[in-house]
Amino acid sequence: MTTSTVPVEAAAPTVPVPPARRRRGRLRTVLLGLPVPLLFLLLWHVGRENAWELPFGIRMGFLPYPADVARGLANYAFGTRDDAFSNLLWEDLPASALRVLSGFALATLVAVPLGVLMGRFSTAHALFDPMINLFRPIPATAWVPLVALLIGYGDQASIFLITLSAFFPVVLGTISGARQVPERLLEAARMLGTSGVGTLLRVVLPAAAPAIVNGMRVGLGLSWVILVLSETTGVPTGLGSTIFLARDVVQTDQIVVGMICIAVAGFLSDRLLMLLFRVLFRDRPLIK
Amino acid sequence: MEHLAAGRTADVRIAGLTKNYAGAVTAMADVDLTIPSGEFVAVVGASGCGKSTLLRILAGFEQPSAGVVEVGGTPVTGPGPDRGVVFQDYGLFPWLSVRENVGYGPARKKLPKAEVAAITDRFIAAVGLTRFAGKYPAQLSGGMQQRVAIARVLANDPSLLLMDEPFGALDALTRSDLQAELKRIHVDTRTTVVFVTHSIEEAVFLADRVVVMTGGAAHGVPGHISRIVPVELADRDVTSPPFNEVKREIAELVHTVPEPV
Ligand SMILES: Nc1ncnc2c1ncn2[C@@H]1O[C@H](COP(=O)(O)OP(=O)(O)OP(=O)(O)O)[C@@H](O)[C@H]1O
Ligand SMILES: [Mg+2]
């Protein structure tokens, strides 16, 4: 710089929250999060002991004790009592995770490009929207018999059901994101020399990123929801298959163990997805 | 500030330009305007008289309903990097850093990486933002964002610079800083500029000629050019009597309500 005007305004300062206060805030959140689950466990235990009958005809006498579930979980993970379920977690979890990942990845791979096209081009929207509206209300459960006939039993059927379920939230998220791209940014890109296809990649995709990421999170969550159902298709290993096996041998604690494992896996996979985005995007403002 | 080398420049020829919007709104009719290469033209006029429409047609964002629009002898058919547009709301890509925003145009031209980097650095320096090159737009003030937007179009070496109330959202101090910077940039590059503004003072300070438009749907007359006022002041001191003489003359024209037809 040789002369005159140096920018006088500075970037808006971000006031950092003092770490002590932030820690106190987190502690408060943790403390407030505890009482309700603890009460739930206590009621569960007492209800089991007294064989309470609850609305909906819930007979708590048929439940395992929370402590039984904890023991079952230990056995499932570390083989603490040597039965049919000992150590199975380390076979079931990878098998299930692989199905979820394959189904979800396949769904995303199709849904994002299709959603971008449908969000930006009325012709593409007119072509595919009726099909999406036709298929979306069909629950995955209703697909199971047909899939059994068309694909048979096994991994392919299982992955197909997951793909089908994860597809809709991702495509709908992408469509709404692609529609809301500020016109100004498209004008800016074109005036800077971006081609038509270029604007889809360089403007629509990044501008729609928050909506796409949201759709992907919903889709991934749904993949885990559908997992149990998708493992009724006769796959031998998996968190869902083991739940059905436990039902067949009437081992209720193992059923609950399976439910807990799926919940934890679903939760962790959402965290992993967000971590992946954070690693990919770093501090780039792409996720709101 | 670094001095910039002379850039490309082009003349503008507009003849018989008419623009109808859907719903039978005639935004403007029979606009003729010729701008020689390197000239700085400001466009002023009451709200709705078609200033933005004129600029958007030059940019290629809107198609004229009738008439000729040529930049550098070539008819305008759509937006392109030879005509840089600076918007009032900046239009920066929020997910790109200052450096990536400024380098966006050169990268689209498939220039070698090193050349893109050199061009980018030069124009970031030209608007005094070298220290902020790694920041994202949301981390910058409005004035800094508009500097980025200006650097971003200049990096494309446009032959015509189109600016629609670019400083309209800025505070007075930042605004006068940017006016001075723009003037200096224009002296260096000699790029033709069409600058829409609501501030007559800004128009007189910056422009070689001030185009005054009137009419518009609200007046029942299509928007049109009422007068073109040359600004022949050697010294653009906003407090000097001759400067205010020109300002007053243009203000009177702007406030004259056209007769409905
Ligand atoms: N996309 C559009 N569709 C329909 N009418 C439009 C459109 N854009 C502008 N107009 C109309 O054209 C006329 C001129 O608008 P324009 O935006 O060019 O005015 P302007 O001089 O830039 O006004 P301002 O000073 O408020 O920015 C107005 O009557 C406006 O309502
Ligand atoms: Mg306008």
Side-chain angles (χ1 to χ4, degrees):
Chain A
M1 282 184 237
T2 51
T3 52
S4 72
T5 40
V6 175
V8 281
E9 343 90 89
T14 45
V15 184
V17 181
R21 193 187 304 168
R22 208 183 319 147
R23 227 174 299 126
R24 223 175 306 141
R26 214 175 296 147
L27 188 68
R28 182 172 176 275
T29 315
V30 170
L31 285 180
L32 280 179
L34 284 177
V36 175
L38 285 178
L39 187 68
F40 175 80
L41 282 176
L42 182 72
L43 285 175
W44 174 3
H45 181 87
V46 175
R48 165 66 182 81
E49 204 155 51
N50 301 306
W52 283 350
E53 298 244 352
L54 301 182
F56 296 105
I58 298 173
R59 292 160 295 172
M60 289 197 69
F62 286 86
L63 264 184
Y65 279 101
D68 290 338
V69 174
R71 273 189 286 274
L73 192 58
N75 178 53
Y76 192 38
F78 308 114
T80 46
R81 65 176 176 227
D82 193 29
D83 62 10
F85 300 103
S86 300
N87 289 317
L88 268 192
L89 176 62
W90 311 113
E91 283 173 43
D92 287 343
L93 182 63
S96 289
L98 191 63
R99 278 178 207 121
V100 165
L101 189 68
S102 316
F104 171 67
L106 212 60
T108 303
L109 236 49
V110 180
V112 171
L114 183 66
V116 165
L117 292 178
M118 288 179 68
R120 292 314 310 176
F121 302 106
S122 56
T123 317
H125 193 266
L127 279 174
F128 292 102
D129 192 51
M131 279 303 273
I132 287 183
N133 285 326
L134 202 66
F135 277 82
R136 194 163 62 101
I138 304 174
T141 28
W143 277 96
V144 172
L146 186 65
V147 166
L149 286 175
L150 291 183
I151 307 182
Y153 286 113
D155 261 327
Q156 290 197 40
S158 169
I159 292 171
F160 176 79
L161 286 171
I162 294 173
T163 306
L164 201 62
S165 312
F167 173 78
F168 293 103
V170 183
V171 82
L172 294 180
T174 309
I175 292 172
S176 87
R179 281 197 164 161
Q180 282 161 25
V181 177
E183 198 56 37
R184 176 67 79 235
L185 296 184
L186 293 165
E187 285 177 356
R190 283 163 65 213
M191 131 334 249
L192 291 168
T194 319
S195 64
V197 184
T199 50
L200 293 183
L201 289 177
R202 294 181 193 287
V203 181
V204 176
L205 210 53
I212 296 175
V213 168
N214 269 337
M216 287 175 74
R217 291 179 75 178
V218 176
L220 184 59
L222 208 54
S223 300
W224 285 100
V225 171
I226 298 306
L227 176 78
V228 180
L229 182 77
S230 83
E231 291 185 351
T232 57
T233 55
V235 289
T237 50
L239 298 171
S241 323
T242 297
I243 290 183
F244 287 105
L245 178 64
R247 182 198 60 185
D248 293 343
V249 300
V250 204
Q251 202 164 322
T252 40
D253 63 335
Q254 185 59 39
I255 295 179
V256 179
V257 165
M259 291 163 70
I260 293 172
C261 288
I262 288 172
V264 172
F267 172 79
L268 287 181
S269 70
D270 181 62
R271 286 302 153 104
L272 277 175
L273 185 70
M274 292 313 281
L275 185 71
L276 175 75
F277 285 132
R278 230 160 300 161
V279 169
L280 284 178
F281 301 157
R282 294 206 198 85
D283 58 349
R284 203 174 280 282
L286 275 171
I287 317 176
K288 284 199 181 99
Chain B
M1 299 282 161
E2 275 171 33
H3 280 279
L4 292 169
R8 287 194 294 172
T9 180
D11 61 336
V12 174
R13 192 171 78 90
I14 297 169
L17 175 62
T18 298
K19 176 68 186 175
N20 307 311
Y21 281 112
V25 182
T26 302
M28 62 168 73
D30 292 320
V31 170
D32 299 298
L33 179 64
T34 304
I35 307 171
S37 287
E39 192 178 51
F40 196 124
V41 168
V43 182
V44 298
S47 195
C49 66
K51 305 181 295 294
S52 296
T53 302
L54 176 68
L55 209 78
R56 292 177 57 79
I57 289 173
L58 278 169
F61 296 141
E62 309 276 358
Q63 299 303 313
S65 307
V68 179
V69 178
E70 288 176 358
V71 174
T74 316
V76 171
T77 52
D82 58 318
R83 281 152 292 132
V85 185
V86 176
F87 306 99
Q88 181 174 0
D89 54 6
Y90 327 130
L92 298 174
F93 303 118
W95 54 86
L96 298 183
S97 66
V98 168
R99 187 179 286 115
E100 290 162 333
N101 265 288
V102 175
Y104 184 95
R108 297 290 79 70
K109 291 181 182 162
K110 306 214 158 51
L111 299 174
K113 271 215 168 79
E115 197 174 332
V116 172
I119 293 172
T120 304
D121 289 346
R122 175 148 34 93
F123 285 97
I124 291 177
V127 294
L129 287 178
T130 303
R131 283 185 306 134
F132 298 90
K135 297 269 188 226
Y136 291 99
Q139 298 171 304
L140 305 178
S141 69
M144 292 161 100
Q145 290 190 52
Q146 196 57 294
R147 283 193 175 89
V148 177
I150 292 170
R152 179 174 73 167
V153 293
L154 291 177
N156 253 349
D157 193 13
S159 51
L160 175 61
L161 198 53
L162 302 166
M163 309 178 89
D164 195 351
E165 298 182 44
F167 308 147
L170 306 177
D171 63 271
L173 198 64
T174 310
R175 188 173 184 147
S176 67
D177 277 352
L178 276 165
Q179 287 167 359
E181 262 180 67
L182 178 62
K183 194 156 196 166
R184 186 182 46 79
I185 287 169
H186 180 247
V187 167
D188 288 347
T189 62
R190 300 316 302 172
T191 300
T192 313
V193 182
V194 181
F195 186 103
V196 170
T197 178
H198 271 286
S199 159
I200 296 167
E201 181 169 300
E202 184 169 72
V204 177
F205 178 72
L206 288 169
D208 300 316
R209 285 194 297 160
V210 178
V211 173
V212 183
M213 291 183 71
T214 48
H219 300 287
V221 191
H224 59 276
I225 295 174
S226 71
R227 184 92 65 85
I228 299 176
V229 181
V231 186
E232 278 148 351
L233 300 167
D235 170 29
R236 302 287 166 102
D237 175 1
V238 295
T239 57
S240 75
F243 187 98
N244 284 280
E245 192 58 45
V246 180
K247 241 178 89 174
R248 196 157 29 237
E249 181 191 347
I250 294 170
E252 264 164 38
L253 287 166
V254 168
H255 293 123
T256 307
V257 178
E259 292 290 314
V261 272

